[in-house]
């Protein structure tokens, strides 16, 4: 997926989620996705080192 189409896709997903989740659910999802991002970053740094 190219950079622009990836951003378009993510923007679309975010808009759809905001229509069906309340603020607390969105905050929880945001925290979970942020944690996932940190975990993936750590995994990538481990695979780059080895």
């Amino acid at each position: 997926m190219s950079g622009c189409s990836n951003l378009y896709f993510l923007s679309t997903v975010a808009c759809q989620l905001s229509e069906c989740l309340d603020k607390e659910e969105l905050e929880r999802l945001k925290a979970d996705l942020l944690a996932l991002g940190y975990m993936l970053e750590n995994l990538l740094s481990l695979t780059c080192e080895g």
Side-chain angles (χ1 to χ4, degrees), residues 3-48:
C4 288
S5 61
N6 190 30
L7 290 176
Y8 177 76
F9 174 73
L10 291 173
S11 176
T12 301
V13 169
C15 285
Q16 290 178 345
L17 287 171
S18 71
E19 291 175 357
C20 62
L21 298 177
D22 64 28
K23 185 176 180 175
E24 288 180 16
E25 291 170 320
L26 286 171
E27 289 287 339
R28 219 172 11 249
L29 179 60
K30 179 185 84 167
D32 290 343
L33 292 175
L34 187 59
L36 176 61
Y38 289 138
M39 289 177 203
L40 291 172
E41 182 178 9
N42 287 331
L43 288 171
L44 286 171
S45 69
L46 292 174
T47 56
C48 290

